[in-house]
Amino acid sequence: MAKTKRRYSCQACGSVSHRWQGQCPDCAEWNTLVEDAPATVFSMKHNLSDGGKLVEFAPLNRADELPQRKATGIDEFDRALGGGLVPGSAILMGGDPGIGKSTLLLQVAARIARSGAEAVYVSGEEAAGQVRMRASRLGLADAPIKLASATSARDILTTLNGMAPPALLVIDSIQTMHSDQIEGAPGTVSQVRGCAFELIRYAKENGVALVLVGHVTKDGTIAGPRVLEHMVDVVMSFEGERSHQYRILRALKNRFGAVDEIGVFAMAGQGLEEVRNPSTLFLSGSDEPLAGSAVFPALEGTRPVLVEVQALIVRLQSGATPRRAVVGWDSSRLAMLLAVLEARCGLSFSSAEVYLNISGGYRLSDPAADIAVAAALVSALADKPLASRSVWFGEISLAGEVRPVAHGGLRLREAGKLGFKHGFGPGESARADRQSR
Ligand code: TYD
Ligand code: MG
């Protein structure tokens, strides 16, 4: 027997409550609970006469059942995905507005279409004419993509069900989709979740590689329900500073591959170009050593990337609260490092403004960058450049110790190849790396 219950879902995080509250108990946002379509609860009876069907069990080891990955030919895109598109899978791609999601996906769709497979691109944000204009700017006007401008998930699925399934289906964006069979205005949690569910089901049943573009909120998470991330197989993030040319495509979750490889692109007049050797891309290019600048040997999957960390310290005369501003690094990690430098090394930053920037619009999350940041801060404080052609890496603990990090030896070797003469890092890591090989 089916029972129905009232339920309220938070429009910010998607969590469900059974009574209305002013503040969401999960994400603490105010006035975000909205009554949702009631959930239907079936009481379970385990017998076939109730309409249940038998599930077919099959052995795990059936090579003929393995889906074949399809490389798109855009190597940086394939690399970030772990080798290409998997038929019957769903990818959610997030990124700031204007970063280039639509541009990249149009380029991917064009490659697929030109290889002779079917690619469908549905834009819910732009009119077909606008997409055509972009395509002609990108030199893709003649690519046999099937293009539509639509926002009704039901119409889109009705159309798709009446034709041969395409190899690639792009929905740009999932937040613009709506269905008249689901309650709520377009963009609400239940609409986004419901439309995504139907599109993903279509993709899985028909062996279609589905890409859903997702808006991101101010703090960088994909807007709408968190459940969207659970529903898809791959979550990609397209990052970069809009004012810089470089863009990084990164997998945050990948059911079919590793999440440590990145794809690097440069936004040019003719769309996104692949950057095949990104190792020195994020250096500022000045050969003269400058105070407040340190080079960090980052590793992105198997590829080394040298990144410049820049710090600026401004002494304040008055007793005003000093500012700390960070671009490309975690601001709470900076606060922690400043505290460690104060408490363990006797340096004083308390009456100074601290600015930290990772050059080239790169975003650092590796804890091994601690030493590079500390070196840049100390160099800026002392107003003395660090040793020329040097790289810095290592994690700093709250006790002020330098801790070993992964692949120390590899970082040093790669920096050496690029002409860096000195490496400063924890002794352990180089040794551990050598032993592990
Ligand atoms: P777009 O793909 O519309 O971003 P998103 O879908 O993530 O919102 O990218 C738009 C930006 O890219 C816009 O600011 C202009 C820039 N751009 C170029 O620099 N060159 C190009 O060839 C194209 C098509 C866009
Ligand atoms: Mg777009």
Side-chain angles (χ1 to χ4, degrees):
M1 200 182 69
K3 282 187 250 167
T4 55
K5 272 188 184 167
R6 266 175 195 282
R7 54 183 225 163
Y8 302 87
S9 60
C10 170
Q11 302 298 297
C13 72
S15 86
V16 175
S17 311
H18 289 293
R19 61 190 173 89
W20 191 87
Q21 297 169 78
Q23 186 181 26
C24 170
D26 272 340
C27 70
E29 286 284 331
W30 287 93
N31 298 325
T32 51
L33 292 199
V34 170
E35 184 167 356
D36 217 345
T40 311
V41 184
F42 290 94
S43 56
M44 286 283 207
K45 283 201 200 110
H46 310 279
N47 64 49
L48 285 175
S49 60
D50 243 19
K53 293 200 196 88
L54 290 177
V55 172
E56 187 195 341
F57 292 113
L60 189 58
N61 179 14
R62 263 184 35 190
D64 54 321
E65 292 273 305
L66 280 183
Q68 291 296 313
R69 268 182 197 281
K70 186 169 174 55
T72 62
I74 299 182
D75 294 343
E76 295 295 311
F77 181 79
D78 293 341
R79 176 201 296 277
L81 275 178
L85 295 166
V86 177
S89 72
I91 299 169
L92 178 65
M93 186 186 288
D96 288 336
I99 207 77
K101 301 179 293 295
S102 306
T103 306
L104 177 64
L105 291 172
L106 197 60
Q107 287 178 270
V108 169
R111 281 294 182 103
I112 298 275
R114 280 182 173 157
S115 75
E118 195 89 75
V120 173
Y121 187 105
V122 181
S123 178
E125 312 208 322
E126 293 165 285
Q130 281 173 292
V131 181
R132 276 197 194 95
M133 224 162 77
R134 184 200 302 259
S136 74
R137 256 191 68 194
L138 298 172
L140 304 175
D142 61 339
I145 299 176
K146 284 209 161 82
L147 170 69
S149 172
T151 54
S152 160
R154 179 161 154 192
D155 294 354
I156 294 166
L157 286 167
T158 306
T159 316
L160 287 168
N161 278 318
M163 58 190 252
L168 172 70
L169 168 62
V170 178
I171 301 287
D172 188 1
S173 64
I174 187 64
Q175 275 83 9
T176 56
M177 294 295 132
H178 67 89
S179 167
D180 52 7
Q181 290 167 312
I182 304 167
E183 270 183 51
T188 53
V189 170
S190 50
Q191 283 278 344
V192 169
R193 187 175 47 203
C195 293
F197 182 80
E198 290 300 328
L199 288 162
I200 292 170
R201 184 160 69 177
Y202 165 79
K204 302 244 171 225
E205 282 172 1
N206 293 280
V208 174
L210 168 69
V211 183
L212 303 171
V213 174
H215 291 173
V216 293
T217 55
K218 275 199 293 283
D219 60 356
T221 52
I222 291 173
R226 205 60 216 255
V227 291
L228 217 50
E229 294 182 23
H230 294 288
M231 287 161 72
V232 297
D233 302 299
V234 182
V235 179
M236 311 285 296
S237 143
F238 203 31
E239 306 168 349
E241 289 289 320
R242 233 178 318 167
S243 49
H244 287 91
Q245 189 188 6
Y246 298 110
R247 304 280 184 270
I248 291 173
L249 183 66
R250 192 191 288 284
L252 304 178
K253 152 182 170 177
N254 192 346
R255 285 187 183 150
F256 315 113
V259 289
D260 54 357
E261 291 286 356
I262 58 167
V264 184
F265 296 89
M267 182 59 96
Q270 283 258 307
L272 290 156
E273 285 170 4
E274 293 181 65
V275 177
R276 288 172 203 274
N277 183 8
S279 52
T280 57
L281 215 62
F282 299 96
L283 294 182
S284 67
S286 135
D287 262 348
E288 274 304 295
L290 297 171
S293 152
V295 176
F296 169 60
L299 279 183
E300 290 291 356
T302 51
R303 290 191 299 184
V305 182
L306 296 183
V307 183
E308 186 175 328
V309 179
Q310 301 162 341
L312 177 68
I313 310 273
V314 183
R315 287 249 163 250
L316 286 186
Q317 304 303 333
S318 67
T321 317
R323 278 191 63 164
R324 273 95 175 84
V326 192
V327 178
W329 207 50
D330 183 22
S331 54
S332 42
R333 191 112 194 141
L334 174 66
M336 190 200 93
L337 262 192
L338 288 173
V340 170
L341 289 174
E342 294 225 358
R344 310 287 175 198
C345 310
L347 299 170
S348 169
F349 293 91
S350 53
S351 63
E353 299 200 322
V354 178
Y355 299 94
L356 190 78
N357 178 42
I358 311 301
S359 80
Y362 195 86
R363 186 159 285 282
L364 274 181
S365 54
D366 186 351
D370 287 354
I371 286 283
V373 174
L377 288 169
V378 173
S379 156
L381 190 70
D383 199 19
K384 282 198 185 133
L386 299 167
S388 72
R389 314 297 291 160
S390 59
V391 293
W392 301 75
F393 64 94
E395 186 180 344
I396 296 180
S397 74
L398 281 180
E401 301 153 330
V402 179
R403 318 193 54 168
V405 296
H407 307 301
L410 180 62
R411 292 176 202 262
L412 287 173
R413 261 199 315 283
E414 292 297 336
K417 276 191 214 158
L418 296 162
F420 282 77
K421 301 216 163 39
H422 311 283
F424 296 89
E428 293 287 301
S429 58
R431 232 175 296 138
D433 215 41
R434 233 175 284 131
Q435 277 164 4
S436 70
R437 257 174 296 121

